[in-house]
């Protein structure tokens, strides 16, 4: 496959304009690089949705709070390009920080709103404003017909969809399923910070979500609060995990569901294993009580 890499906004705009001039549609996958099979599944989805696939690789300083892993976040452009070459024809947009923020951190920001300060946003203040600001910039630079995000970052996908609707941005958002390792651990660029012991401890996230789902699906059907308790018990049994949150939200609002909730909800979890923060989520079904 052919993968070209451009670093400037001017070049990516020229390439997109040339594609458009020949009637080709554009599908976009924003990433921070350190690509793994999860990212590549988004690229494959993008290739099925558009004629030109643009993949951005940019570690966005705006979405890291002070003291987070901005400096040590893996930057592996050459390896990323090789993985893309084995996946699909693509145009990589890999700008420098100066290219994206020539006057320093942008004065204008997208405000993620109330959902942006819950869960991930509560633990990482400013994270979603920084994320949505760079995503809005990238949408304005690439002007895709469709952009593909991962369900792995469910709150991010929710907020991107909300931004696109609220600001009438002229593109479609697709969300692709989470790709996992065999044991259930969701693939993440941050998994490479984990040693072997921590990797096995990290399985507790997907196991806790499984306990939530199993409890919800119990033969009599159980309330969300009981399902959360079952998930917490699994997390508490792993001393190497320090839990930030485990909750069940309504996918339509990203707000915690009441106990009488029925239908498809989303169980979300975040925990630190050592100094590495990991997140995961899973759909959970709360059936309506059967009529007697
Ligand atoms: P990141 O490079 O971590 O910013 O992620 C870029 C995109 O890849 C986001 O839309 C993520 O949700 C998505 N992504 C990350 N991990 C996975 C995974 N395990 N499966 C599917 N998509 C993922």
């Amino acid at each position: 496959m052919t993968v070209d890499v451009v670093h400037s906004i001017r070049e990516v705009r020229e390439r997109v304009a040339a594609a458009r001039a020949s009637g080709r549609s554009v599908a976009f996958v924003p990433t921070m690089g350190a690509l793994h099979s999860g990212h590549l599944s988004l690229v494959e989805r993008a290739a099925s949705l558009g004629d030109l696939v643009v993949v951005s690789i940019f570690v966005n300083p705006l979405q890291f709070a002070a003291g987070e892993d901005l400096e040590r976040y893996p930057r592996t452009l050459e390896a990323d390009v090789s993985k893309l070459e084995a996946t699909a024809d693509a145009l990589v947009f890999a700008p420098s920080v100066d290219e994206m923020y020539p006057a320093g951190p942008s004065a204008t920001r997208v405000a993620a709103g109330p959902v942006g300060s819950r869960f991930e946003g509560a633990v990482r203040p400013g994270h979603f404003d920084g994320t949505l600001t760079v995503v809005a910039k990238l949408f304005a630079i690439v002007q895709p017909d469709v952009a593909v995000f991962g369900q792995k970052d469910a709150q991010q996908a929710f907020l991107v969809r909300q931004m696109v609707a609220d600001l009438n941005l002229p593109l479609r958002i697709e969300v692709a399923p989470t790709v996992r390792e065999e044991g259930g651990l969701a693939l993440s660029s941050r998994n490479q910070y984990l040693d072997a012991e921590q990797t096995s401890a990290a399985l507790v996230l997907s196991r806790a979500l499984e306990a939530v789902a199993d409890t919800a699906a119990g033969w009599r059907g159980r309330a969300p609060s009981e399902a959360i308790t079952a998930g917490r018990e699994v997390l508490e049994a792993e001393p190497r995990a320090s839990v930030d949150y485990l909750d069940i939200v309504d996918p339509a609002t990203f707000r915690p569901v009441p106990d009488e909730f029925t239908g498809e909800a989303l169980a979300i979890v975040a925990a630190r294993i050592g100094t590495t923060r990991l997140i995961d989520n899973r759909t959970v079904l709360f059936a309506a009580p059967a009529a007697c």
Side-chain angles (χ1 to χ4, degrees):
M1 317 277 182
T2 307
V3 174
D4 291 342
V5 182
V6 297
H7 299 282
S8 72
I9 293 169
R10 182 184 54 76
E11 285 169 294
V12 75
R13 281 200 163 134
E14 280 171 8
R15 293 289 295 264
V16 169
R20 292 239 175 260
S22 58
R24 301 171 77 212
S25 60
V26 179
F28 178 43
V29 182
T31 81
M32 298 205 299
L35 300 185
H36 50 63
S37 311
H39 297 115
L40 299 177
S41 75
L42 306 189
V43 173
E44 279 167 3
R45 170 76 83 92
S48 76
L49 295 170
D51 302 315
L52 171 65
V53 174
V54 180
V55 179
S56 65
I57 296 182
F58 179 59
V59 182
N60 172 38
L62 239 52
Q63 70 193 66
F64 288 78
E68 289 187 351
D69 57 343
L70 173 62
E71 274 79 33
R72 77 163 174 157
Y73 198 89
R75 289 158 172 89
T76 57
L77 183 59
E78 231 174 88
D80 291 346
V81 170
S82 304
K83 288 176 190 168
L84 289 169
E85 279 168 347
T87 307
D89 290 333
L91 175 66
V92 170
F93 174 47
S96 64
V97 172
D98 270 358
E99 181 72 5
M100 290 297 280
Y101 303 112
S106 53
T108 305
R109 303 284 168 104
V110 177
V115 173
S117 52
R118 289 165 179 266
F119 305 116
E120 283 307 280
V123 183
R124 309 182 66 189
H127 169 67
F128 286 120
D129 291 3
T131 302
L132 293 187
T133 300
V134 82
V135 169
K137 280 168 72 73
L138 289 166
F139 286 173
I141 291 165
V142 177
Q143 300 187 18
D145 299 285
V146 56
V148 187
F149 288 81
Q151 175 63 24
K152 157 81 183 354
D153 297 277
Q155 194 176 2
Q156 170 179 282
F158 175 92
L159 290 168
V160 168
R161 278 204 158 125
Q162 177 178 266
M163 172 177 76
V164 166
D166 284 350
L167 303 183
N168 304 94
L169 302 183
L171 78 160
R172 211 168 81 238
I173 301 299
E174 290 277 328
V175 178
T178 302
V179 176
R180 299 175 181 281
E181 282 174 10
E182 241 169 59
L185 178 63
L187 295 186
S188 162
S189 306
R190 290 189 168 97
N191 290 354
Q192 55 188 277
Y193 300 151
L194 303 170
D195 62 28
E197 255 191 31
Q198 290 173 327
T199 303
S200 78
L203 290 173
V204 76
L205 277 82
S206 55
R207 282 200 288 106
L209 294 175
E210 197 179 345
V212 172
D214 287 351
T215 305
W219 66 276
R220 280 169 50 209
R222 303 279 279 278
S225 56
E226 293 171 89
I228 292 174
T229 302
R232 290 226 170 103
E233 278 167 12
V234 172
L235 290 168
E236 277 158 20
E238 175 48 74
R240 286 167 295 192
S242 149
V243 181
D244 281 337
Y245 59 80
L246 170 73
D247 217 325
I248 301 177
V249 297
D250 182 339
T253 60
F254 228 88
R255 289 173 193 282
V257 295
D259 255 357
E260 53 283 4
F261 180 89
T262 56
E264 258 187 25
L266 197 63
I268 56 174
V269 64
R272 268 163 294 129
I273 310 284
T275 56
T276 305
R277 258 192 108 246
L278 300 173
I279 60 173
D280 201 353
N281 67 86
R282 162 179 184 147
T283 297
V284 181
L285 185 66
F286 291 97
C292 299

